[in-house]
Amino acid sequence: MMRSVRAVGMTLLAATAVVTAACTGDEGGNGGSGGDLPEAGPLVERAAAATREIETVHFTLAVDGQVPGISISGADGRLTKAGEVQGTAVITVTGQPVESEFVIVGDSLYLKGPTGGFQELPASVAASIYDPTKILDDNLGLAALVAGVADPRVDGREDVDGVGTYRLSVTFAKNNLGVLLPGVGATADLPGRLWVTADEPNRPVKAEVEVPPSGGQQGGTVTITLSEFNAPVEITPPA
C-alpha cells in the first residue's frame, strides 16, 4: 500500500513539474517564444539601429497574389543610402508584364524598356510605381518600418539564403509601409513577418507584409529581401 501511495505521489509531482514548465515557457519575455531565442523587443531595437548603419545594399522585391493598387510585380537592384539605385523591375502594362532597366541618380530617373535606349525622366515619376531610393532612408525606409513594429514575437530560427536568422511575427504600422507597398497608402496596420540575422549586428534580411483582399482583388504578400550589406557600389547615369 505504501509503495502505491508513493507511486501516486511521484506521478503527481511529475505532472506538476510539466505544467509548471509549460506555464514558464508561455510567459517567456520574448512574446511567447521559448528556448534559447532572444527577447523580441531588444532584438527589434538592435535591428532598427543596424539598419540605420547600412550604406549600400542589394535588394529584391516580390509581389505575390493580387495586391490592390500595385502595378509592379518584382524588382531587383543595388542602392546607396544617398538614394542612387540601379536595377530592373517588372511592371504590368495593359495587363502584360514588362521588364525594364532603371537607374536613379540625383533628380533623374533613367528608364529602358524592352526596346530602345534609356529615357531620362524626373526621379519623382518612380514614386507612383516604386521608389527604392527610400529603402535606406532613416525616416521613410526600412529602419522606420522595423522600429515601428508592434507585438513582435520571435517564432524560431530559419535560414534565409544561407544566412541564419530569427523569424519574428509582427504588426507593421500603416504609416511606415511605403517601403513595402509601392504607390499604395495603407489604411490600417497589417500583419507580417521579419527575419533578422542571428549574428550581430542583427540586420533585417527579409520583411513580408500580408495585404488583405480589397476592391475585388484577392490580396497577397509583398516581400523585400536584403543582402550584400555595405559592399562597394558605384552608380552613374547610363551613357
Side-chain angles (χ1 to χ4, degrees):
M1 181 66 178
M2 183 63 67
R3 182 177 301 173
S4 176
V5 171
R6 186 180 297 114
V8 171
M10 293 297 291
T11 300
L12 290 175
L13 182 61
T16 301
V18 170
V19 171
T20 302
C23 292
T24 302
D26 286 344
E27 294 178 0
N30 50 7
S33 52
D36 61 349
L37 299 178
E39 297 278 347
L43 179 62
V44 167
E45 292 177 2
R46 293 195 298 272
T51 305
R52 298 186 187 101
E53 300 300 317
I54 299 172
E55 295 295 330
T56 67
V57 75
H58 173 260
F59 73 95
T60 60
L61 182 82
V63 180
D64 295 310
Q66 296 179 333
V67 180
I70 294 183
S71 58
I72 189 171
S73 59
D76 182 284
R78 289 173 170 78
L79 71 139
T80 70
K81 192 163 187 173
E84 302 162 330
V85 192
Q86 182 174 11
T88 60
V90 179
I91 303 169
T92 301
V93 179
T94 64
Q96 298 296 322
V98 177
E99 183 172 353
S100 301
E101 298 179 49
F102 68 91
V103 178
I104 300 176
V105 177
D107 295 327
S108 295
L109 162 67
Y110 302 89
L111 191 63
K112 182 180 183 296
T115 61
F118 280 95
Q119 295 184 357
E120 183 176 358
L121 302 166
S124 58
V125 171
S128 61
I129 302 174
Y130 182 56
D131 188 2
T133 65
K134 297 297 189 289
I135 291 175
L136 294 182
D137 186 291
D138 288 345
N139 299 313
L140 301 174
L142 195 63
L145 179 74
V146 173
V149 302
D151 306 319
R153 175 189 175 95
V154 182
D155 294 327
R157 294 174 178 266
E158 184 175 317
D159 281 356
V160 176
D161 296 330
V163 176
T165 73
Y166 295 117
R167 185 185 70 253
L168 297 89
S169 294
V170 300
T171 298
F172 291 119
K174 62 181 180 181
N175 294 335
N176 298 326
L177 276 168
V179 70
L180 271 178
L181 299 180
V184 180
T187 58
D189 299 344
L190 295 176
R193 285 162 292 279
L194 185 65
W195 289 259
V196 175
T197 57
D199 294 333
E200 294 185 1
N202 300 125
R203 296 186 180 109
V205 295
K206 186 177 178 181
E208 179 180 272
V209 63
E210 299 176 10
V211 184
S214 177
Q217 293 186 303
Q218 299 174 355
T221 61
V222 182
T223 306
I224 188 170
T225 306
L226 305 179
S227 61
E228 301 178 26
F229 298 98
N230 297 327
V233 174
E234 183 177 356
I235 299 173
T236 58

